[in-house]
Amino acid sequence: MAPRCWRWWHWSAWRRTRPPPAGSTPSFQQQFSTQEQPPQICVVGSGPAGFYTAQHLLKHHPRAHVDIYEKQLVPFGLVRFGVAPDHPEVKNVINTFTQTARSDRCAFRGNVAVGRDVAVSELRAAYHAVVLSYGAEDHQALEIPGEELPGVFSARAFVGWYNGLPENRELAPDLSCDTAVILGQGNVALDVARILLTPPEHLEKTDITEAALGVLRQSRVKTVWIVGRRGPLQVAFTIKELREMIQLPGTRPILDPADFLGLQDTIKEVPRPRKRLTELLLRTATEKPGVEEAARQALASRTWGLRFFRSPQRVLPSPDGRRVAGVRLAVTRLEGVGEAARAAPTGDTEDLPCGLVLSSVGYKSRPIDPSVPFDPKLGVIPNMEGRVIDVPDAAAGPEGRAAAIWSQAWLCGHRGPAQQPRGPACLFLGLGEAGCRGGVPGQGCREAQGEVAGSSGDAAAAGAPSLDPSLAGRERRHAVRGRGAWVSQWDSALQLCRLPALAPGLGCLFSRGR
């Protein structure tokens, strides 16, 4: 995280108006359509979900104003820090997001951590609606013995490392081993496998970070196993990513034909996308490659393979117990049919030697603020079609109705699988002075350290500026900055995005050449 320091910057000029007091009951038209009450919307998170929501609001309400708060210095979230560096075409959506952010009715506020620099309850009091689109910031744990051993990482952290996410810049994976095992068979698993096996001279042409490229140049990983609990009909990756793996220069695939017995007849009944994917797997596993492909594979120095019907049971330590040496896998069988089939253990196990384990079994969200309900078991904010539930007083009064109406932006704001939420993607909170109650994280951040001390009450007692809903937009942002937050605006954030390196102390935020 960047230092929390003082800095002046230019402000947008429009004024914010205070929501009607609790107990008043103006109509939706009165609340969102009159000259006195233009809707003021706060979006927390500047990833695809947040930007598509902002775009929808600005398009369908000509007088709405949207403020986008982002905890990183730079925008774009998953597009910037989650998309593989060799997939630049996926990042083209940044151009659309930039057009949205340059609207006179949209403002970007980077390096502001909601729940630390400003409380959700304050945002609810200052805006007509608050949209939580901060994504899934954590990974699903394997919950097996040995998971804590050195050499075991989440795929999410590994992706963040080679994409320059600040919280993962110190990951330092040891790639001196011969074999890596990836647990999970989704697109992220294939992304990670592809980055591990792609020749460094090919990665040089991408926007991967210099630090990651340097480590990958020294990598000794020659074999990558991608392990899944179920079979070929249940893989979660898509045909595009599979084709890229099959055609990856300098590599050859290893698939066991026995895993595909009987699938030729089964796939006749499955939907077309699944059928095409399985047919490609089937051809790769059972058919002899053509002359040109066979010659290419003969020269390959690296291999990758899919291991089906295997579930991780234990991470095995090296003899000295200092790092990972392998994974014990339980052999499984399918109960049920199709994509709904479940993996059940057979009682047999096998050990797969390796020096690196990457877990890619899913993401989950973290709680953003004690005043916002959170389901720790599912890792999500409880919601109904995007409308946050179980929030004290959120559904009462005109603010509750307004939030329910604006939840249509959540339903309409996504464009395809790449933008689908993985957690509390776009969740609406009602507003008003009643607001959320209870303790909230403090804003007493110590300069240059970003440490949190006390509660919101402590911050107020210490003289921290209040986010008074009656403040103008300029004054409100001064109040956030006055708590010790260096706040980046859109133009400065884009300039930072283009820097190949940052000044010491700001961290490895940005990718090469972007």
Side-chain angles (χ1 to χ4, degrees):
M1 178 60 65
R4 319 299 297 177
C5 55
W6 185 283
R7 175 168 175 169
W8 285 91
W9 48 280
H10 297 288
W11 310 90
S12 56
W14 70 77
R15 290 187 62 85
R16 297 294 193 250
T17 57
R18 185 170 185 162
S24 61
T25 57
S27 67
F28 176 77
Q29 290 294 329
Q30 289 175 325
Q31 192 173 8
F32 275 5
S33 298
T34 66
Q35 186 173 358
E36 293 76 18
Q37 270 310 342
Q40 316 294 340
I41 314 298
C42 168
V43 175
V44 180
S46 66
F51 263 108
Y52 277 124
T53 299
Q55 176 182 309
H56 184 94
L57 290 168
L58 295 173
K59 178 180 179 181
H60 293 280
H61 198 294
R63 300 185 60 252
H65 291 277
V66 179
D67 285 355
I68 302 175
Y69 289 82
E70 169 59 51
K71 76 171 185 176
Q72 304 294 346
L73 277 167
V74 294
F76 308 135
L78 185 66
V79 177
R80 178 167 189 82
F81 295 116
V83 174
D86 57 348
H87 283 174
E89 71 284 353
V90 180
K91 301 183 182 184
N92 288 338
V93 73
I94 285 175
N95 298 325
T96 301
F97 296 163
T98 299
Q99 292 177 6
T100 299
R102 291 199 181 279
S103 167
D104 291 338
R105 297 181 290 120
C106 185
F108 173 79
R109 307 298 168 207
N111 203 36
V112 178
V114 173
R116 180 188 65 191
D117 300 320
V118 60
V120 170
S121 57
E122 294 178 287
L123 294 176
R124 296 183 68 207
Y127 291 89
H128 289 99
V130 175
V131 186
L132 301 179
S133 58
Y134 64 94
E137 301 179 286
D138 207 349
H139 67 281
Q140 293 285 358
L142 293 172
E143 298 182 349
I144 59 175
E147 186 177 7
E148 73 290 344
L149 284 170
V152 181
F153 304 98
S154 71
R156 184 194 181 281
F158 192 79
V159 170
W161 168 72
Y162 63 64
N163 276 332
L165 187 62
E167 65 189 66
N168 300 130
R169 65 187 177 123
E170 304 296 339
L171 194 69
D174 182 358
L175 305 184
S176 62
C177 59
D178 177 80
T179 302
V181 170
I182 302 173
L183 302 172
Q185 293 182 333
N187 279 342
V188 174
L190 264 60
D191 282 347
V192 169
R194 192 176 65 254
I195 295 299
L196 281 172
L197 297 176
T198 297
E201 57 270 21
H202 290 233
L203 292 176
E204 287 175 355
K205 304 172 185 178
T206 73
D207 65 353
I208 193 170
T209 63
E210 290 285 0
L213 183 60
V215 174
L216 290 166
R217 283 196 183 104
Q218 304 300 319
S219 172
R220 298 181 183 177
V221 175
K222 301 296 182 184
T223 302
V224 175
W225 290 107
I226 306 165
V227 179
R229 295 174 300 153
R230 300 187 293 171
L233 270 178
Q234 291 81 32
V235 295
F237 53 74
T238 56
I239 194 169
K240 176 182 180 294
E241 279 67 25
L242 177 60
R243 284 200 188 101
E244 288 179 328
M245 286 300 298
I246 294 172
Q247 299 168 3
L248 190 62
T251 70
R252 61 184 178 87
I254 302 174
L255 299 178
D256 186 353
D259 290 332
F260 297 85
L261 294 176
L263 279 186
Q264 190 67 56
D265 295 329
T266 306
I267 60 177
K268 295 178 181 179
E269 307 299 327
V270 301
R272 186 172 182 270
R274 174 66 66 180
K275 180 180 179 182
R276 292 175 62 238
L277 173 62
T278 310
E279 286 175 342
L280 180 57
L281 283 169
L282 193 59
R283 290 196 300 271
T284 305
T286 60
E287 295 181 5
K288 294 186 63 175
V291 176
E292 185 176 340
E293 178 64 14
R296 185 189 72 82
Q297 292 186 13
L299 297 175
S301 60
R302 298 180 175 184
T303 60
W304 63 273
L306 295 170
R307 299 292 291 269
F308 298 108
F309 308 110
R310 302 291 187 273
S311 180
Q313 193 176 67
R314 175 185 295 271
V315 178
L316 303 174
S318 59
D320 59 8
R322 293 184 178 180
R323 63 170 296 106
V324 61
V327 181
R328 179 158 297 162
L329 302 171
V331 181
T332 64
R333 65 174 184 274
L334 292 183
E335 294 182 350
V337 295
E339 296 186 25
R342 299 178 60 85
T346 63
D348 296 329
T349 62
E350 65 180 35
D351 292 348
L352 185 58
C354 65
L356 176 68
V357 175
L358 296 168
S359 168
S360 184
V361 295
Y363 295 167
K364 66 178 182 179
S365 295
R366 298 172 182 167
I368 191 171
D369 190 306
S371 65
V372 179
F374 189 79
D375 185 335
K377 184 176 181 180
L378 298 178
V380 300
I381 293 176
N383 70 93
M384 183 175 295
E385 294 186 338
R387 177 75 166 91
V388 176
I389 58 177
D390 296 331
V391 182
D393 299 316
E399 294 81 14
R401 291 203 304 275
I405 292 170
W406 282 105
S407 69
Q408 294 303 311
W410 182 83
L411 297 174
C412 303
H414 304 291
R415 301 293 184 271
Q419 287 79 45
Q420 291 303 316
R422 294 174 177 171
C426 280
L427 305 177
F428 278 72
L429 288 167
L431 300 175
E433 295 175 33
C436 292
R437 297 192 178 93
V440 294
Q443 292 83 28
C445 301
R446 299 180 183 177
E447 286 192 4
Q449 295 183 16
E451 296 179 2
V452 177
S455 67
S456 60
D458 298 329
S466 171
L467 200 68
D468 192 316
S470 66
L471 294 177
R474 175 181 304 183
E475 295 165 332
R476 185 182 303 155
R477 296 179 186 88
H478 272 292
V480 175
R481 190 202 60 208
R483 295 174 178 181
W486 186 98
V487 185
S488 64
Q489 285 198 121
W490 185 256
D491 288 338
S492 61
L494 289 188
Q495 290 174 4
L496 289 171
C497 283
R498 299 186 182 101
L499 291 176
L502 292 177
L506 287 182
C508 183
L509 272 169
F510 313 108
S511 303
R512 302 171 61 250
R514 302 297 287 185

